[in-house]
Amino acid sequence: MANTKHHQILIVGGGTAGVTVAASLHRRGPGSLDIAIVEPSEIHYYQPCFTLVGAGAYDMAKTRRPERSLIPAGVTFIHGAAKAFDPDKNSVVLETGDALTYDYLVVCTGVKLDWDNIEGLSATLGKNSVCSNYSPLYAPYTWQCVQGLKPGSRAVFTQPPLPFKCPGAPQKIVYLTADRLRRAGALQACDLQYFVHAPVVFGVPFFARELMKVVARYGIKAYFQQNLVAVDGVAKTATFEAVGGDDKGKRTTVTFDMLHVSPPQSPHDAIKKSPLANAAGWVEVNQNSMQHVRYPNVFSLGDVCSTPNSKSAAAVRKQSPIVVRNLLRMIAGTPVEAGYDGYASCPLTTAYGKAILAEFIYGGKVTPTLPFDPAKERWIGWWIKTTGLPIFYWNYMLKGYEWFFKHDTAFKGDAA
């Protein structure tokens, strides 16, 4: 028989957002707070380093920790997945059939990777030189594929339709592959092709200009408004469809010796079909307060919410304190505040040992944290990406510490 249990604050999703919110609440709220986290995975991954794993610059084992080891003492860990949401009854039903009720709900389930939206992809992923840094199952195989490139090889890379998590990830592996070939003296003899669904290489013009210089420097062929629709791993072909321009609807098939796929992504089905979702399937929140627009006792953050920012761990770092403060305000009977400005950050690895630190808020306004030109490739960006941020993530952010340097919202360098 199905059980029903009640929790004061129910957090659905134990990834970056869920653990950060739980830890911050545990640190800041009264000791009597009853908090529970629902999460189906026993393993927690630091996903931003998957790109580095695929480039042979990071050990896969360092990206993972047991989920239970990250849950703060006193917070209930419910190992399971949500099947249905009924916010009118303050209820969440799990796949086991058990129901959980709540006073306050925090939804941070992340997104799912829609491999099956591309014909033939699932059947060949992880073999036939078809790889992806978007999954811990396949990121190590990316490095095998990169190592297999030799003079005369063609490497093809894709970027899916927005929104997807870490908008810089699809191109980071392109640059790192190119740099490895350059160091081996094989870049000129190879053919690197990057097929991008968007009409630009990056959504923030200030950084897009710099990234196009990187594309040109490596001799990468970039094709815009192109969407991957089919893969034949055995024949080593990838088929793309033009999504804009004069050739809209036209299909092009290319051969490859390596294909790196960044898959299309969407909310989980339980979210899409719930009353919490907007027309596109995302949890519909106020973009500044992170509070649901129809259900005041519901908040959402991270990749699954409707805020129009880049989906990244850096965004969660800024969203989490707003959610925590607003939950505590609601419990205390005071009004919520609107404090999230759309901040996101993306360390764009342009070579081994170099990265551009792209930081920006709503509207694509550039807001650097460090006091130097954010457009330049620097070794400090690489150190931050490979060493600084993982330490910060495990030992500071997931422990509920919130203080961080302010980003410069008065920066003037982002004129077109």
Side-chain angles (χ1 to χ4, degrees):
M1 183 177 170
N3 297 314
T4 299
K5 287 189 178 173
H6 184 85
H7 294 281
Q8 186 180 13
I9 299 174
L10 181 63
I11 301 170
V12 180
T16 301
V19 174
T20 301
V21 167
S24 295
L25 278 170
H26 191 253
R27 193 170 286 281
R28 274 159 197 78
S32 59
L33 275 185
D34 169 22
I35 308 166
I37 289 184
V38 176
E39 169 56 44
S41 177
E42 291 274 14
I43 302 295
H44 183 108
Y45 289 97
Y46 179 61
Q47 298 178 55
C49 275
F50 288 175
T51 291
L52 299 173
V53 170
Y58 205 82
D59 182 357
M60 188 70 209
K62 288 166 63 179
T63 69
R64 56 182 175 242
R65 301 266 174 97
E67 176 73 17
R68 291 174 193 273
S69 72
L70 303 172
I71 307 294
V75 172
T76 303
F77 175 41
I78 300 166
H79 182 226
K83 182 174 72 173
F85 294 82
D86 188 348
D88 292 302
K89 294 181 179 174
N90 293 334
S91 171
V92 176
V93 178
L94 304 183
E95 287 183 344
T96 58
D98 291 343
L100 300 170
T101 56
Y102 56 82
D103 295 334
Y104 302 94
L105 176 68
V106 180
V107 183
C108 42
T109 52
V111 294
K112 64 173 181 168
L113 307 176
D114 292 325
W115 307 109
D116 290 334
N117 283 14
I118 299 165
E119 183 187 332
L121 176 58
S122 292
T124 194
L125 195 58
K127 57 188 178 185
N128 299 319
S129 302
V130 180
C131 56
S132 179
N133 287 342
Y134 268 88
S135 167
L137 297 175
Y138 307 120
Y141 184 60
T142 300
W143 176 229
Q144 285 184 45
C145 294
V146 170
Q147 289 176 292
L149 296 174
K150 52 188 183 292
S153 291
R154 173 182 288 164
V156 176
F157 305 83
T158 75
Q159 188 205 89
L162 283 164
F164 58 89
K165 56 185 174 181
C166 193
Q171 62 192 288
K172 294 178 195 181
I173 189 60
V174 188
Y175 306 141
L176 292 173
T177 301
D179 190 43
R180 184 176 191 277
L181 291 170
R182 179 190 66 80
R183 289 164 185 250
L187 180 59
Q188 247 83 33
C190 289
D191 181 13
L192 270 60
Q193 301 187 7
Y194 183 34
F195 289 81
V196 183
H197 185 279
V200 291
V201 75
F202 197 70
V204 181
F206 179 84
F207 296 111
R209 288 193 296 273
E210 299 304 318
L211 292 166
M212 286 307 293
K213 295 175 188 175
V214 178
V215 168
R217 182 174 82 215
Y218 287 128
I220 297 160
K221 296 170 187 165
Y223 301 98
F224 297 100
Q225 295 184 291
Q226 295 285 333
N227 189 41
L228 179 66
V229 292
V231 178
D232 185 330
V234 176
K236 290 211 167 25
T237 61
T239 301
F240 296 88
E241 183 175 293
V243 294
D246 296 339
D247 292 331
K248 186 174 181 180
K250 181 183 175 184
R251 293 197 169 195
T252 307
T253 299
V254 298
T255 59
F256 61 81
D257 297 292
M258 167 186 166
L259 174 66
H260 180 272
V261 178
S262 298
Q265 293 154 48
S266 66
H268 292 278
D269 292 343
I271 297 292
K272 280 186 201 170
K273 64 189 182 189
S274 79
L276 299 172
N278 64 11
W282 306 93
V283 180
E284 192 170 11
V285 296
N286 177 288
Q287 69 174 27
N288 302 117
S289 71
M290 314 306 295
Q291 184 181 39
H292 199 277
V293 297
R294 293 183 297 280
Y295 300 99
N297 65 332
V298 177
F299 292 83
S300 182
L301 72 162
D303 296 346
V304 76
C305 72
S306 63
T307 53
N309 58 275
S310 283
K311 297 183 182 297
S312 66
V316 170
R317 176 169 62 78
K318 293 289 190 175
Q319 292 169 347
S320 173
I322 306 304
V323 170
V324 169
R325 277 204 293 278
N326 282 339
L327 280 167
L328 295 176
R329 279 169 172 265
M330 288 198 78
I331 291 169
T334 55
V336 301
E337 62 180 32
Y340 179 57
D341 60 7
Y343 175 85
S345 171
C346 190
L348 294 151
T349 49
T350 53
Y352 289 90
K354 285 184 183 176
I356 293 172
L357 275 180
E359 297 175 275
F360 44 93
I361 60 174
Y362 288 137
K365 178 172 173 51
V366 178
T367 57
T369 299
L370 299 176
F372 48 60
D373 183 356
K376 296 290 180 280
E377 301 167 74
R378 298 177 189 271
W379 70 267
I380 188 69
W382 177 264
W383 182 88
I384 288 170
K385 170 70 176 171
T386 59
T387 305
L389 287 177
I391 292 171
F392 172 82
Y393 182 82
W394 295 117
N395 301 314
Y396 194 84
M397 184 171 158
L398 293 193
K399 302 290 188 190
Y401 296 104
E402 292 181 356
W403 184 88
F404 199 74
F405 304 98
K406 290 195 183 309
H407 46 287
D408 180 10
T409 54
F411 180 74
K412 297 289 191 224
D414 55 345

